[in-house]
Amino acid sequence: QVRLVQSGAEAKKPGSSVKVSCKASGGTFTTYGIHWVRQAPGQGLEWMGMIIPIFGTANYGQKFQGRVTISADESTTTAYMEVSSLRSEDTAVYYCGRDRGVIEGYYHYEMDVWGQGTTVTVSS
Amino acid sequence: EIVMTQSPATLSVSPGERATLSCRASQSVTSNLAWYQQRPGQAPRLLIHGASTRATGIPARFSGSGSGTEFTLTISSLQSEDFAVYYCQQYNNWPPITFGQGTRLEIK
């Protein structure tokens, strides 16, 4: 049974950076997409981007392009999401989620395994 | 970017009754649509993928239908644990993958 375990809560100052980790255990890591989704307090879900570790290239939502970096380390089965130039609006719970991978030759981007979430608070 | 619009924002239903939640896409997403449930303080949980296929371990009282731009999630007989927020998500045209704003299902 695949499990995703995220790093702990972070408190950051505006203008700084934060890097959140997401360690996978109990299943295949390299051929499934790892997505990052955030949820601001009292708000809905917002997709940030994803990476398929075996390919190594990340895709981002336009809103996050240039300020977010998603990476993966196959040797430790860990994905990372870094946000730079933090502002108060980045205060949110950040989730990683693993998609359903390749089924009958097509990638399926529904997320069926989720991490527990990491709270990032940005405040001066 | 495909915009997903859910209705209603809040739905009040009594336990044991049926709940019907709607999701509309700004352009066709074929059947590349998923539904998630999120309880307070928890991560989302995948309920439905491919618009109508229940995910592993999801009770039969949850069903999804629709294709193109109009989708429905139906919960046939509400249990106490079903009162939560529900999101639809499209993954047909991406990036970005997009979610609806959510429907809060509350006890009447």
Side-chain angles (χ1 to χ4, degrees):
Chain A
Q1 188 78 346
V2 175
R3 189 173 176 223
L4 300 178
V5 178
Q6 298 182 225
S7 49
E10 301 266 12
K12 293 292 184 179
K13 300 287 189 187
S16 66
S17 298
V18 68
K19 192 170 186 176
V20 180
S21 67
C22 171
K23 180 169 176 58
S25 61
T28 304
F29 177 72
T30 57
T31 56
Y32 289 81
I34 298 292
H35 301 248
W36 290 90
V37 175
R38 77 177 185 181
Q39 187 169 38
Q43 303 301 307
L45 303 172
E46 183 174 35
W47 185 83
M48 302 176 69
M50 67 89 75
I51 189 167
I52 301 173
I54 196 171
F55 299 136
T57 302
N59 289 280
Y60 302 93
Q62 187 172 11
K63 176 178 178 178
F64 301 100
Q65 192 87 36
R67 204 165 65 90
V68 172
T69 303
I70 294 172
S71 59
D73 183 336
E74 294 182 51
S75 67
T76 60
T77 64
T78 302
Y80 300 91
M81 188 281 303
E82 182 171 23
V83 185
S84 62
S85 302
L86 285 165
R87 34 204 190 230
S88 59
E89 308 90 88
D90 295 316
T91 293
V93 177
Y94 290 77
Y95 292 102
C96 61
R98 194 195 79 161
D99 62 31
R100 297 176 62 235
V102 176
I103 301 171
E104 296 181 349
Y106 294 94
Y107 261 98
H108 289 252
Y109 296 121
E110 318 94 324
M111 290 154 254
D112 64 349
V113 182
W114 292 76
Q116 82 276 19
T118 297
T119 299
V120 175
T121 304
V122 183
S123 173
S124 55
Chain B
E1 172 175 329
I2 295 179
V3 177
M4 307 301 291
T5 303
Q6 293 186 239
S7 62
T10 302
L11 183 61
S12 299
V13 182
S14 300
E17 294 190 340
R18 174 188 298 257
T20 302
L21 289 67
S22 296
C23 175
R24 173 177 293 178
S26 60
Q27 63 189 78
S28 176
V29 298
T30 64
S31 295
N32 290 322
L33 182 110
W35 289 94
Y36 297 85
Q37 176 193 69
Q38 188 179 34
R39 296 175 177 140
Q42 296 187 15
R45 177 172 73 140
L46 178 65
L47 298 175
I48 301 287
H49 59 82
S52 60
T53 302
R54 278 189 303 278
T56 302
I58 300 304
R61 64 180 182 273
F62 291 91
S63 63
S65 63
S67 66
T69 61
E70 301 283 342
F71 301 89
T72 300
L73 174 70
T74 301
I75 311 171
S76 60
S77 178
L78 282 163
Q79 308 296 305
S80 58
E81 62 267 28
D82 300 335
F83 292 95
V85 181
Y86 292 82
Y87 295 94
C88 61
Q89 172 220 343
Q90 71 81 22
Y91 47 94
N92 191 65
N93 283 15
W94 73 284
I97 288 170
T98 50
F99 291 90
Q101 81 281 16
T103 290
R104 181 178 303 278
L105 182 56
E106 63 177 29
I107 300 175
K108 186 174 182 179

